[in-house]
Amino acid sequence: MQAVLTVREEKARFERSGEIPDGALAAGLPALRKLQEAWRAQTAAVPREQAQKIVAVSQRYLQSLANLQKALAARNDAGGVAGVQAEKERLLGNNVVREALAALPPANPVPPPPAPLVPPVRAPPTVEKLGDYTFYPPGREPAAKELRVLRLEFPSADRRAAQFFYELQAAVYSHKRDLYDRDSRTTYSITTTIPRITLSVKNRAVGEGSQLVVEYYSRRVARMNSLRHEKSEVIPLPAMARGWILTVEGEGVRLTNEKLMIAPREFYGLIVSLFDAGGALLFQQCTSTALAPNCRATLPEAAAPAGAADELTPGRKAPP
């Protein structure tokens, strides 16, 4: 009889409040306690599931916008590109999307806590130097001949969500020198490929001590199955607030090709990764899906000298 009374009281209480707080959990009736905990677990999952749906739909929409923007850029449609960019910014600033991102558990690796919701600020109007690197705000980059824009891909689906917080753009240009070795009577060339990386900080700040890692890959001329990790370059970043856009050039990679070489090599592509001061991966993209198996979530121990790494075959990871 006491159990019947307890269930009746709980039914009346729930009809009035519609909630089951900790203080209402049944202590002496296991069957009722099990029902209460099942209800709490199911209702707690509803906001998370809804947030997952919102983020998934937003990711697909953002990817479609990115594809459209590339197609318009290929047609030199500046007005269309600007319109798509405005729509991307509107989506990234949407409160529903931002709340859905905040409701989801952090992905692995754990991103830093969100910055305070303050109006975005523009990049500083002056050029900034940090160590051996120079960072340029939009429009202040030095001129470069034959600058070739690289298409960046996400190495995996789980790393795509970070596009709500950061954006990378990459381009390269090359310097070539033809030389003659009198001793061997051999003509050869040295080609230096220099990357220009632009980092846009959208909805999360980049803290002091963060680093941009650029990994260079080469291949035998016209052979996709001969990828080789040439070097890793670690670029220290200044602290960047939300809304900042900065461009930096890497030191590049040099490849020497002799005319008599059986298998001359050429620059193939890049892996660009953003790490926070604690070494956690924040954002990562590569210039080809063929490089995706070599993308790592940890900082390299040291930058390897050019040409010192082993040749890679598809599916084999780069050495740490």
Side-chain angles (χ1 to χ4, degrees), residues 103-295:
L104 292 178
N108 186 24
V110 179
L117 297 180
V118 296
V121 294
R122 301 180 65 184
T126 58
V127 175
E128 184 170 352
K129 293 186 70 69
L130 183 60
D132 296 330
Y133 296 94
T134 303
F135 296 86
Y136 303 93
R140 300 292 300 276
E141 307 91 342
K145 289 185 177 181
E146 299 181 358
L147 191 65
R148 178 165 59 95
V149 177
L150 302 178
R151 179 174 178 174
L152 294 176
E153 308 282 353
F154 288 97
S156 60
D158 62 323
R159 295 183 186 173
R160 187 180 296 276
Q163 66 186 319
F164 287 99
F165 308 117
Y166 313 102
E167 181 178 349
L168 282 173
Q169 295 177 344
V172 294
Y173 61 95
S174 299
H175 296 304
K176 184 177 180 181
R177 295 173 57 197
D178 291 324
L179 302 173
Y180 179 73
D181 188 331
R182 293 181 178 180
D183 294 335
S184 62
R185 297 182 180 180
T186 301
T187 301
Y188 64 98
S189 64
I190 298 177
T191 302
T192 303
T193 301
I194 300 174
R196 178 174 290 187
I197 310 296
T198 299
L199 173 62
S200 302
V201 179
K202 297 179 179 179
N203 292 316
R204 279 188 180 152
V206 170
E208 185 177 357
S210 298
Q211 301 175 95
L212 199 65
V213 176
V214 182
E215 299 179 75
Y216 300 83
Y217 284 82
S218 70
R219 68 172 179 180
R220 292 181 184 175
V221 175
R223 290 188 60 179
M224 284 291 296
N225 63 345
S226 60
L227 302 184
R228 186 173 76 188
H229 178 261
E230 292 292 333
K231 63 182 288 188
S232 296
E233 181 179 6
V234 180
I235 302 175
L237 293 174
M240 297 176 62
R242 290 176 55 222
W244 280 28
I245 304 173
L246 289 176
T247 297
V248 62
E249 289 189 353
E251 63 182 15
V253 62
R254 294 199 318 167
L255 295 174
T256 302
N257 292 329
E258 298 184 8
K259 287 188 176 180
L260 299 179
M261 287 177 64
I262 298 176
R265 303 194 71 82
E266 62 183 357
F267 171 77
Y268 175 71
L270 304 170
I271 297 175
V272 185
S273 309
L274 173 63
F275 292 89
D276 69 9
L281 179 66
L282 303 179
F283 192 75
Q284 186 176 66
Q285 288 187 293
C286 52
T287 56
S288 168
T289 54
L291 294 177
N294 305 314
C295 291

Side-chain angles (χ1 to χ4, degrees), residues 11-32:
K11 181 180 179 182
R13 187 205 62 76
F14 183 78
E15 288 176 347
R16 291 192 304 270
S17 68
E19 297 180 353
I20 304 179
D22 292 340
L25 292 174
L29 192 56
L32 177 58

Side-chain angles (χ1 to χ4, degrees), residues 83-106:
V84 174
Q85 182 62 34
E87 175 63 8
K88 289 169 64 178
E89 296 298 331
R90 186 198 65 78
L91 174 64
L92 294 171
N94 186 281
N95 286 335
V96 174
V97 176
R98 295 167 70 95
E99 291 172 2
L101 286 168
L104 292 178

